């Protein structure tokens, strides 16, 4: 199973956002991760659909939108119209997760579901065949630059085992505290989709170098 990097723009220079994304794309990033935050589901506010639309234009990368928003079903149409290719919602933020996932897919986008560190993977047993991606949060969502929480690695292992037992070709992503130093261990545990913010966009003149370093480590 091939592995992919999805650089998170949360740690990019917002004053120079499109150029930073272009640098990552030109260096080989096939995905770009957008962290939407509403200040309610998480204790921080970032941006919404207009920013996705503003940078979309001729960029070719897959726009992977991570909605850290209470009841994200309200914004799916807007985010899709802005140019997203995939939307990931939090299990904890959706009263009707089945309806929310169904709506993302009806809109023609890839559907992902994210789990906070303390939410067990078993909570997804019913919805698993419907989703393209499960995103295991490896930090508490809300901020870039936090430390990877070690016990979340067991969740990656458990989820890969469950998916394999059920014959599901599931993309398992990890988000938070992913670095060049720990990515191989996480990949060995069963993840094949890696979100990295501060380790890609800092420092600003090393974006291309960082993307290439990550891609060189991942299974091709
Ligand atoms: C955290 C976000 C992440 C964040 C990761 O709530 O979902 O995508 O940007 O940042 P790093 O890689 O710096 O931990
Ligand atoms: Zn994220």
């Amino acid at each position: 199973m091939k592995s992919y990097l999805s650089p998170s723009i949360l740690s990019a220079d917002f004053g120079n956002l499109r150029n930073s994304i272009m640098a990552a794309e030109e260096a080989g990033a096939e995905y770009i991760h957008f962290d939407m935050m509403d200040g309610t589901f998480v204790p921080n506010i970032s941006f919404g659909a207009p920013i996705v639309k503003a940078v979309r234009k001729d960029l070719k990368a897959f726009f992977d939108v991570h909605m850290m928003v209470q009841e994200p079903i309200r914004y799916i149409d807007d985010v899709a119209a802005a140019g997203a290719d995939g939307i990931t919602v939090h299990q904890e933020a959706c009263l009707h997760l089945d309806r929310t996932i169904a709506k993302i897919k009806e809109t023609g986008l890839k559907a992902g579901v994210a789990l906070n560190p303390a939410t067990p993977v078993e909570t997804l047993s019913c919805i698993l065949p419907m989703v393209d991606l499960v995103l295991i949060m490896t930090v508490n969502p809300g901020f870039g630059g936090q430390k990877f929480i070690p016990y979340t690695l067991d969740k990656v292992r458990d989820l890969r085992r469950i998916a394999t037992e059920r014959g599901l070709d599931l993309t398992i992503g990890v988000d938070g505290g992913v670095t060049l130093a720990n990515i191989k261990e996480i990949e060995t545990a069963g993840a094949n989709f890696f979100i990295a913010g501060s380790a890609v966009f800092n420092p600003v003149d090393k974006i291309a170098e960082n993307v290439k370093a990550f891609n060189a480590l991942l299974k091709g």
Side-chain angles (χ1 to χ4, degrees), residues 70 99 110 145 182 195:
Q70 204 60 41
R99 178 181 288 145
K110 296 279 188 198
N182 63 14
I195 318 306

Side-chain angles (χ1 to χ4, degrees), residues 8 10 33 35 37 66 68 137 141-145 175-177 195-198:
S8 162
L10 193 62
H33 185 85
D35 288 303
M37 302 180 184
H66 177 194
M68 284 161 277
M137 292 308 298
F143 304 93
D175 188 1
I195 318 306
S198 45

Side-chain angles (χ1 to χ4, degrees), residues 146-193:
Q146 303 180 82
K147 270 216 170 73
F148 185 92
I149 300 174
Y151 75 77
T152 59
L153 207 52
D154 291 332
K155 292 175 67 179
V156 173
R157 281 190 201 102
D158 288 349
L159 183 60
R160 180 55 74 200
R161 180 182 43 77
I162 292 165
T164 304
E165 281 169 7
R166 294 179 62 175
L168 299 171
D169 187 22
L170 185 70
T171 297
I172 299 180
V174 286
D175 188 1
V178 176
T179 66
L180 289 167
N182 63 14
I183 196 165
K184 285 311 282 183
E185 187 186 6
I186 308 169
E187 188 182 54
T188 303
N192 63 322
F193 191 58

Side-chain angles (χ1 to χ4, degrees), residues 9 17-18 34 36 46-57 63 65 67 75 77-84:
I9 63 157
L17 191 53
R18 204 157 180 283
F34 291 81
M36 289 190 181
S46 57
F47 53 79
I51 296 294
V52 175
K53 190 173 178 200
V55 296
R56 174 80 268 189
K57 295 184 195 153
F63 275 25
V65 177
M67 299 188 72
Y75 305 105
D77 288 334
D78 282 357
V79 173

